[in-house]
């Protein structure tokens, strides 16, 4: 299909958004308005119609899934070498590419490590335990504060100078020590992937010129979710040329807790006076009734840019509001109704989605779904490979096959505890990286060197020596013998199980974690068996395959099997379903108590708006009169958002003053008929 044929399939506003390339462009894209089609068609238009080289175009979004989907759709339009060199990635991947290309300017060595949030937490815990015993909540608070500072482009010295009390001063000093240790380890954390490129491009004129030559046109998806540093990265790269398109919707900005700044949409107009704003208001997803409810609700929030979603998909069914006695009756009602509606409407299980404000709301619902033998998929569970005990075991395996893996070394050198503190590791890292002596060896290799005795205490050298001697011994046994047996022996010899029991809140949790480790080793053993059943001694490739298993597992989570979908409203963004249930429309749940106390109800209203606009054909809102809290039944107040919906489009159930008795009787007959046909 030619680019002209693709353009002909778009509506007039979408066509305008694709064709406008002469200056900065903000596409205000309402829910379900086809924004991905606009972005992907615009990339093809720039290449095929405007003659721009694909390698000069960068499209960025927030999740790997969104980037993958965009890349696949562009790939269907740009054939062969046409799309060669095109960048379609997340913000963090773009930042990582800049860091890799500018290592020398940033003062890092090749092969730098990327600390994920768990690695960072371990480092912070070690730094904080110098002062006193700390709990997980304290570490999380400090980690969140450091992340906020980095996203707001505040460096340690600025954080210290702005500190208003002792707590902030302590946090700022930890920030400085944390950054210093990362640098010594030749490592960066997740927030550095944006911070470091912004700092570099703000201060290095030559580096900025290089990247401006490299990227001529930029497209940014989900722009309302950008934070301070991400916005500045776009602004720096686009500079005076200002050839970019950002696509966003201020009404779907629900990530303020993650640093997102919906006001960046306003800042854009202030920073780029020639900004053209194009509104996409035609919705291709929902019925007129659902869109009217969404428009009426969100109109209660202040707006810089007004927009009203509309659809030509007919008015559709009224929105049902179901009032239940208590939370158990609410879960029972949702589960039994999905069962009967599936039969009555000849629907698939996957056509139904249940959304809620907090994960805890899914527990009762899961039990009810299991009772009715309804298959379901719960989104947002912990991946096997993201568990701490698995990451520890994987770090040992990685170090066994690659002693140069500094990140793996740092994770497990003190797990189980070997009294090797962050001070020792910082000195070791500086010694290993000492460019003056032309060194630059791995941390593991540095532990074997005699020169270490000049910078570390005898006790510290002995402790490091015992660790590397232990790993060397395991590696020898793997080479000489059964590699799996050597790995099992290593886990037992270092008494990892005792470490788990020491650090778990309950013995059953420690047992489960240890069982996970043995499951991992079993998987490794299976991975070493060839399809014909022959064994191979190539443990290195088996471990490498295991490292990739996490990626495959995440992709498997996106399967399209026929199951009811259970997910939080935050996790539902970008998805759509024929039939949607929103649970828990009560004050202090939606809107959440924290938002009421903090005065951030506007964001909760946007969250409700996101939930409503996931529905294509039918929408049911449920609430309970009473809910259990701390073992007691507490009275609940209906959510203020229910009063903000158009009354003429609502159909109440379970409320005597609002309910139609004939409809109630008909509903009862439907439920009985559905159960009869199920049993028949």
């Amino acid at each position: 299909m030619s680019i002209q044929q693709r353009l002909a399939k778009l509506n007039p506003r979408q066509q305008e958004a694709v064709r406008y390339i002469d200056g900065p462009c903000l596409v205000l894209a309402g829910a379900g308005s086809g924004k991905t089609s606009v972005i992907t068609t615009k990339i093809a238009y720039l290449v095929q119609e405007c003659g721009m080289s694909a390698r000069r175009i960068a499209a960025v979004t927030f999740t790997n899934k969104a980037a993958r989907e965009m890349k696949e759709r562009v790939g269907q339009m740009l054939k062969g070498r046409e799309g060669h060199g095109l960048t379609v990635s997340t913000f963090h991947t773009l930042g990582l590419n800049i860091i890799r290309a500018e290592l020398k300017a940033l003062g890092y060595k090749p092969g730098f490590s990327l600390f994920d949030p768990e690695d960072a937490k371990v480092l912070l815990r070690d730094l904080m335990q110098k002062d006193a015993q700390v709990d997980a909540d304290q570490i999380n608070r400090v980690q969140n504060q450091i992340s906020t500072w980095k996203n707001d482009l505040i460096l340690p010295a600025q954080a210290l100078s702005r500190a208003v009390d002792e707590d902030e001063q302590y946090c700022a000093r930890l920030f400085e020590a944390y950054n210093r240790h990362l640098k010594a380890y030749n490592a960066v954390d997740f927030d550095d992937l944006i911070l470091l490129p912004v700092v570099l491009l703000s201060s290095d004129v030559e580096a900025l010129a290089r990247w401006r030559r490299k990227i001529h046109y930029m497209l940014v998806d989900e722009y309302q979710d950008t934070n301070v540093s991400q916005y500045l990265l776009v602004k720096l790269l686009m500079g005076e040329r200002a050839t970019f398109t950002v696509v966003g919707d201020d009404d779907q900005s629900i990530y303020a807790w993650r640093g997102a700044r919906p006001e960046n949409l306003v800042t854009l107009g202030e920073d780029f006076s020639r900004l053209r704003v194009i509104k996409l208001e035609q919705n291709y997803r929902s019925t007129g009734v659902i869109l009217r409810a969404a428009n009426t609700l969100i109109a209660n929030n202040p707006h810089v840019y007004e927009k009203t979603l509309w659809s030509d998909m007919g008015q559709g069914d009224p929105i049902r509001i179901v009032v239940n006695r208590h939370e158990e009756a609410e879960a029972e009602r949702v589960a039994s109704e999905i069962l009967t509606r599936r039969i009555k409407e000849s629907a698939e299980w996957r056509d139904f989605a249940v959304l809620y404000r907090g994960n805890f709301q899914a527990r009762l619902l899961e039990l009810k779904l299991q009772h009715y033998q309804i298959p379901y998929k719960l989104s947002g569970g912990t991946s096997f490979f993201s568990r701490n005990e698995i990451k520890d075991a994987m770090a040992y395996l990685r170090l066994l096959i690659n002693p140069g893996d500094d990140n793996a070394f740092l994770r497990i050198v003190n797990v189980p505890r070997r009294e090797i503190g962050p001070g020792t590791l910082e000195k070791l890292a500086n010694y290993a990286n000492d460019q003056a002596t032309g060194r630059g060896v791995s941390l593991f290799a540095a532990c074997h060197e005699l020169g270490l005795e000049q910078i570390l205490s005898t006790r510290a050298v002995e402790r490091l020596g015992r660790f590397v001697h232990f790993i060397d011994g395991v590696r020898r046994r793997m080479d000489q013998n059964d590699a799996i047996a050597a790995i099992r022996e290593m886990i037992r010899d270092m008494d990892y199980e005792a470490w788990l029991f020491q650090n778990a809140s309950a013995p059953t949790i420690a047992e489960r974690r240890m069982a996970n480790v043995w499951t991992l080793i079993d998987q490794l053993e299976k991975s070493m068996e060839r399809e014909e059943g022959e064994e191979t001694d190539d443990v290195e490739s088996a471990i490498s395959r295991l490292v990739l298993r996490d990626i495959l597992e995440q992709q498997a989570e996106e399967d399209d099997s026929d199951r009811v979908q259970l997910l939080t409203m935050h996790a539902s963004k970008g998805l759509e379903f024929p039939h949607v249930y929103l649970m828990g429309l009560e004050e202090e749940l939606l809107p959440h108590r924290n938002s009421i106390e903090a005065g951030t109800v506007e964001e909760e209203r946007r969250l409700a708006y996101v939930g409503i606009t996931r529905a294509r054909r039918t929408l049911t809102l449920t609430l309970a009169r009473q809910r259990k809290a701390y073992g007691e039944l507490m009275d609940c107040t209906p959510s203020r958002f229910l009063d903000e919906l158009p009354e003429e489009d609502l159909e109440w159930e379970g409320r005597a003053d609002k309910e139609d008795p004939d409809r109630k009787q008909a509903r009862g007959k439907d439920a009985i008929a559905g159960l009869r046909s199920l049993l028949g």
Side-chain angles (χ1 to χ4, degrees):
M1 192 188 296
S2 73
I3 190 65
Q4 293 305 328
Q5 288 171 314
R6 291 187 192 280
L7 277 168
K9 288 190 162 193
L10 303 180
N11 68 42
R13 292 284 76 75
Q14 290 174 324
Q15 289 179 17
E16 182 189 354
V18 169
R19 286 196 169 107
Y20 182 69
I21 60 163
D22 297 327
C25 179
L26 164 60
V27 179
L28 209 63
S33 61
K35 67 181 176 67
T36 309
S37 293
V38 167
I39 294 171
T40 51
T41 307
K42 188 156 193 170
I43 293 169
Y45 181 80
L46 287 164
V47 174
Q48 294 173 341
E49 199 73 11
C50 308
M52 187 178 288
S53 166
R55 68 174 64 252
R56 297 280 178 254
I57 302 169
V60 289
T61 186
F62 280 83
T63 67
N64 287 319
K65 185 184 174 187
R68 195 162 57 241
E69 184 189 332
M70 202 184 290
K71 199 174 283 185
E72 283 168 7
R73 285 173 70 164
V74 174
Q76 290 164 8
M77 300 184 200
L78 300 179
K79 301 296 182 187
R81 296 193 61 79
E82 255 187 342
H84 196 66
L86 174 71
T87 298
V88 180
S89 72
T90 62
F91 262 105
H92 290 91
T93 303
L94 175 64
L96 183 63
N97 292 340
I98 294 173
I99 291 170
R100 279 185 178 139
E102 303 290 345
L103 278 180
K104 197 172 177 186
L106 286 164
Y108 287 86
K109 293 184 307 179
F112 65 93
S113 299
L114 174 59
F115 270 39
D116 69 14
E118 281 304 318
D119 297 326
K121 202 171 261 128
V122 170
L123 172 56
L124 279 172
R125 186 191 66 209
D126 289 345
L127 291 170
M128 290 168 78
Q129 279 178 341
K130 280 180 172 179
D131 304 315
Q133 282 298 108
V134 291
D135 61 29
D137 285 344
Q138 286 173 289
I139 297 168
N140 286 336
R141 276 197 299 277
V142 171
Q143 188 172 25
N144 289 336
Q145 180 59 69
I146 290 174
S147 180
T148 300
W149 277 329
K150 287 192 175 191
N151 287 332
D152 288 344
L153 299 172
I154 295 169
L155 300 175
Q158 292 168 285
L160 194 55
S161 68
R162 295 181 191 184
V164 293
D165 55 32
E166 277 186 26
D167 280 352
E168 279 195 20
Q169 285 176 2
Y170 172 65
C171 213
R173 284 195 297 272
L174 272 171
F175 183 18
E176 192 280 325
Y178 169 78
N179 261 15
R180 198 180 68 240
H181 278 75
L182 279 181
K183 196 70 193 280
Y185 298 161
N186 195 39
V188 298
D189 69 15
F190 201 60
D191 297 313
D192 286 331
L193 297 181
I194 309 293
L195 173 73
L196 291 175
V198 168
V199 169
L200 175 74
L201 299 178
S202 301
S203 59
D204 188 325
V205 179
E206 288 180 11
L208 181 61
R210 272 196 301 277
W211 284 92
R212 282 184 176 172
R213 282 195 299 273
K214 189 174 171 59
I215 301 174
H216 285 189
Y217 203 96
M218 203 163 178
L219 302 100
V220 183
D221 190 17
E222 303 288 8
Y223 184 74
Q224 75 282 348
D225 293 338
T226 53
N227 58 33
V228 172
S229 54
Q230 286 160 341
Y231 172 65
L232 196 52
L233 182 60
V234 173
K235 189 179 166 186
L236 282 164
L237 288 170
M238 290 300 92
E240 293 160 13
R241 194 190 293 128
T243 44
F244 63 80
T245 296
V246 302
V247 182
D249 180 5
D250 50 348
D251 291 333
Q252 293 188 75
S253 181
I254 56 173
Y255 296 117
W257 49 278
R258 224 161 56 183
R261 300 273 294 263
E263 55 269 34
N264 282 348
L265 289 164
V266 182
T267 311
L268 202 63
E270 294 166 356
D271 288 347
F272 297 93
S273 56
R274 294 191 301 126
L275 182 73
R276 181 182 290 194
V277 179
I278 300 167
K279 298 178 189 177
L280 303 185
E281 295 172 297
Q282 182 174 359
N283 173 285
Y284 292 91
R285 175 187 299 160
S286 308
T287 64
V289 164
I290 290 166
L291 294 180
R292 190 155 54 238
N295 289 331
T296 311
L297 174 74
I298 207 66
N300 290 279
N301 274 5
H303 288 84
V304 175
Y305 303 111
E306 297 290 341
K307 70 176 184 313
T308 304
L309 295 181
W310 61 275
S311 152
D312 56 11
M313 300 178 74
Q315 286 306 297
D317 296 341
I319 293 167
R320 294 163 59 240
I321 302 177
V322 182
V323 184
N324 303 275
R325 289 195 315 283
H326 43 63
E327 58 197 316
E328 191 165 341
E330 180 188 40
E332 169 73 31
R333 178 63 186 271
V334 171
S336 62
E337 197 170 286
I338 288 173
L339 182 67
T340 54
R341 284 183 70 183
R342 178 178 178 264
I343 297 156
K344 189 182 171 191
E345 299 173 27
S346 302
E348 305 279 340
W349 293 120
R350 67 165 73 87
D351 292 343
F352 296 92
V354 187
L355 314 183
Y356 33 79
R357 178 64 178 81
N359 277 309
F360 72 92
Q361 290 170 263
R363 290 173 202 152
L364 267 175
L365 183 61
E366 280 193 82
L367 294 172
K368 299 296 180 188
L369 293 171
Q370 287 166 6
H371 173 72
Y372 286 115
Q373 297 183 325
I374 296 172
Y376 65 89
K377 178 192 169 193
L378 184 69
S379 295
T382 308
S383 155
F384 180 70
F385 281 83
S386 65
R387 299 175 191 278
N388 267 332
E389 65 274 16
I390 298 304
K391 293 180 86 163
D392 288 343
M394 287 300 297
Y396 271 99
L397 295 176
R398 280 162 45 206
L399 197 63
L400 288 172
I401 64 166
N402 175 20
D405 190 332
D406 284 351
N407 205 8
F409 177 94
L410 288 166
R411 181 173 183 94
I412 46 120
V413 68
N414 212 25
V415 175
R417 200 155 184 77
R418 298 182 177 93
E419 296 184 349
I420 299 168
T424 298
L425 292 172
E426 186 181 9
K427 287 175 185 172
L428 172 67
N430 287 331
Y431 174 83
N433 295 336
D434 189 355
Q435 300 300 320
T437 57
R439 196 172 275 108
V441 295
S442 72
L443 300 176
F444 190 86
C447 291
H448 289 88
E449 296 196 5
L450 293 171
L452 208 53
E453 293 172 7
Q454 293 166 15
I455 59 149
L456 289 176
S457 68
T458 307
R459 189 179 292 177
V461 172
E462 282 173 3
R463 286 169 181 160
L464 286 169
R466 277 200 298 273
F467 172 68
V468 295
H469 178 72
F470 173 65
I471 297 295
D472 282 336
V474 178
R475 295 183 74 220
R476 272 195 306 276
R477 289 196 296 279
M478 284 171 68
D479 289 341
Q480 295 161 1
N481 250 316
D482 179 353
I484 295 294
I487 290 166
R488 289 187 194 279
E489 192 180 343
M490 171 187 76
I491 302 284
R492 281 190 288 268
D493 285 352
M494 68 188 185
D495 213 359
Y496 186 72
E497 188 166 12
W499 160 258
L500 287 177
F501 273 91
Q502 201 180 324
N503 288 279
S505 54
T508 51
I509 291 172
E511 285 166 13
R512 191 161 65 242
R513 288 177 180 166
M514 195 63 224
N516 286 338
V517 173
W518 293 128
T519 300
L520 179 78
I521 308 304
D522 290 343
Q523 286 299 312
L524 177 62
E525 193 167 21
K526 284 177 187 167
S527 185
M528 289 179 65
E529 293 168 7
R530 293 190 191 278
E531 282 181 20
E532 313 89 80
E534 296 173 12
E535 280 217 1
T536 171
D537 293 325
D538 190 2
V539 70
E540 188 170 329
S541 62
I543 291 171
S544 299
R545 280 199 298 274
L546 206 54
V547 172
L548 289 172
R549 186 76 64 86
D550 185 21
I551 299 162
L552 299 174
E553 190 178 270
Q554 284 170 12
Q555 287 172 346
E557 281 174 12
E558 292 165 23
D559 69 330
D560 194 31
S561 55
D562 191 20
R563 295 185 282 173
V564 174
Q565 305 295 305
L566 312 185
L567 60 172
T568 64
M569 289 180 213
H570 281 102
S572 74
K573 191 161 170 289
L575 304 175
E576 57 181 72
F577 310 93
H579 309 291
V580 168
Y581 287 81
L582 286 191
M583 288 177 71
L585 266 288
E586 299 143 32
E587 288 290 297
E588 303 201 352
L589 196 48
L590 185 70
H592 196 273
R593 182 194 303 169
N594 294 349
S595 74
I596 296 169
E597 290 170 356
T600 55
V601 171
E602 285 173 16
E603 173 139 344
E604 293 290 294
R605 190 175 284 110
R606 293 195 291 267
L607 192 57
Y609 173 86
V610 165
I612 288 169
T613 53
R614 300 311 94 198
R616 282 168 29 199
R617 284 174 41 209
T618 71
L619 176 65
T620 306
L621 313 179
T622 70
L623 62 151
R625 289 198 185 94
Q626 290 186 313
R627 237 173 242 283
K628 259 190 187 164
Y630 312 109
E632 284 185 44
L633 271 177
M634 311 286 281
D635 290 336
C636 304
T637 307
S639 169
R640 68 189 72 186
F641 300 150
L642 294 173
D643 295 328
E644 296 174 359
L645 299 174
E647 199 166 338
E648 65 276 13
D649 291 332
L650 307 180
E651 196 178 90
W652 288 79
E653 297 174 19
R655 225 177 104 170
D657 61 325
K658 298 268 190 183
E659 189 164 10
D660 179 339
D662 293 339
R663 199 172 273 144
K664 183 177 180 180
Q665 193 176 5
R667 197 172 61 250
K669 285 178 181 172
D670 277 351
I672 292 164
L675 288 167
R676 272 189 186 139
S677 66
L678 179 75
L679 293 167

